[in-house]
Amino acid sequence: MIPELIWIVGFYMTAAAMAHRLLRQSADERQRHYVLVAGNHQMQIEWYIRSLQRFSRYTGMDIGITVVLEDSCDETGKITEIFARGYDKIRLLRAGEPAVAEVAAAEDEQDAAVMETDRDIAMSRERMLRQMADQGIVASPLQIVWVELSNREDLARLPLGCRYGGNRIQ
């Protein structure tokens, strides 16, 4: 009886170790970083961010969010700033300005100087994606999902539930 019980426990521990190993190997597949290009979206931005956070909790997928704020004359920036202060996986970048919050959070002055001069949002989309990968925000540019909130077709890339057709992440 005891030897059979030891075999069962041994097989269970081996299966659990293999499952953890596979989970770690597929960690890159389970990470996404959403770049939301927003303008005057004060009525929707909180809902988008909270929906992404809820999706992250339900699926166990690690999600980061960067909101690129273009010309906005409403409270979109202030709402996103509140989220950025409360959560470390959310960033706010304003078009045409250096990423002041990231400059202040830089660990040494040399990194801060590079970020201050090089993190201008007026840069091209490809350069921004490459830079996010270089800074360690994402492991590869393939993990980034670029969404312009003013483009209804881009909204289909967000896992927002049934409001926009129930599209889920691929």
Side-chain angles (χ1 to χ4, degrees), residues 51-65:
S51 294
L52 288 170
Q53 289 175 325
R54 189 175 321 110
F55 178 75
S56 175
R57 281 192 305 273
Y58 288 153
T59 62
M61 184 177 287
D62 190 21
I63 291 180
I65 303 169

Side-chain angles (χ1 to χ4, degrees), residues 92-106:
L92 171 65
L93 302 176
R94 297 181 188 272
E97 296 178 9
V100 177
E102 289 186 25
V103 171

Side-chain angles (χ1 to χ4, degrees), residues 31-37 64 66 125 129 138 141-148 154 156-159 169-170:
Q31 293 179 349
R32 294 273 193 239
H33 192 90
Y34 288 88
V35 177
L36 307 177
V37 181
T66 298
R125 176 179 168 176
L129 297 176
V138 293
L142 298 175
Q143 294 175 334
I144 297 174
V145 180
W146 190 276
V147 180
E148 294 192 27
D154 281 0
R157 295 184 192 144
L158 292 175
I169 207 165
Q170 293 89 327

Side-chain angles (χ1 to χ4, degrees), residues 13 17 28 34 39 47 60 62-63 68 94 99 104 132 139:
M13 290 175 59
D28 287 344
Y34 288 88
W47 184 74
D62 190 21
I63 291 180
V68 178
R94 297 181 188 272
M132 290 175 82

Side-chain angles (χ1 to χ4, degrees), residues 22-135:
L22 288 173
L23 188 62
R24 265 186 264 125
Q25 286 177 345
S26 66
D28 287 344
E29 297 172 5
R30 300 193 54 77
Q31 293 179 349
R32 294 273 193 239
H33 192 90
Y34 288 88
V35 177
L36 307 177
V37 181
N40 293 321
H41 291 92
Q42 77 177 9
M43 300 300 286
Q44 298 93 9
I45 194 70
E46 180 178 0
W47 184 74
Y48 291 139
I49 293 172
R50 289 192 188 276
S51 294
L52 288 170
Q53 289 175 325
R54 189 175 321 110
F55 178 75
S56 175
R57 281 192 305 273
Y58 288 153
T59 62
M61 184 177 287
D62 190 21
I63 291 180
I65 303 169
T66 298
V67 177
V68 178
L69 188 63
E70 292 183 334
D71 300 324
S72 177
C73 57
D74 63 2
E75 303 295 318
T76 305
K78 290 182 182 178
I79 294 168
T80 307
E81 282 177 11
I82 292 170
F83 276 105
R85 274 188 259 131
Y87 301 97
D88 60 341
K89 299 251 181 195
I90 299 175
R91 292 172 171 65
L92 171 65
L93 302 176
R94 297 181 188 272
E97 296 178 9
V100 177
E102 289 186 25
V103 171
E107 292 185 9
D108 58 6
E109 293 180 32
Q110 184 179 10
D111 285 347
V114 170
M115 292 171 98
E116 190 172 12
T117 59
D118 206 33
R119 286 295 301 208
D120 190 33
I121 303 307
M123 68 181 106
S124 69
R125 176 179 168 176
E126 291 78 23
R127 183 173 173 204
M128 184 176 181
L129 297 176
R130 206 171 31 246
Q131 198 168 34
M132 290 175 82
D134 291 345
Q135 291 180 358

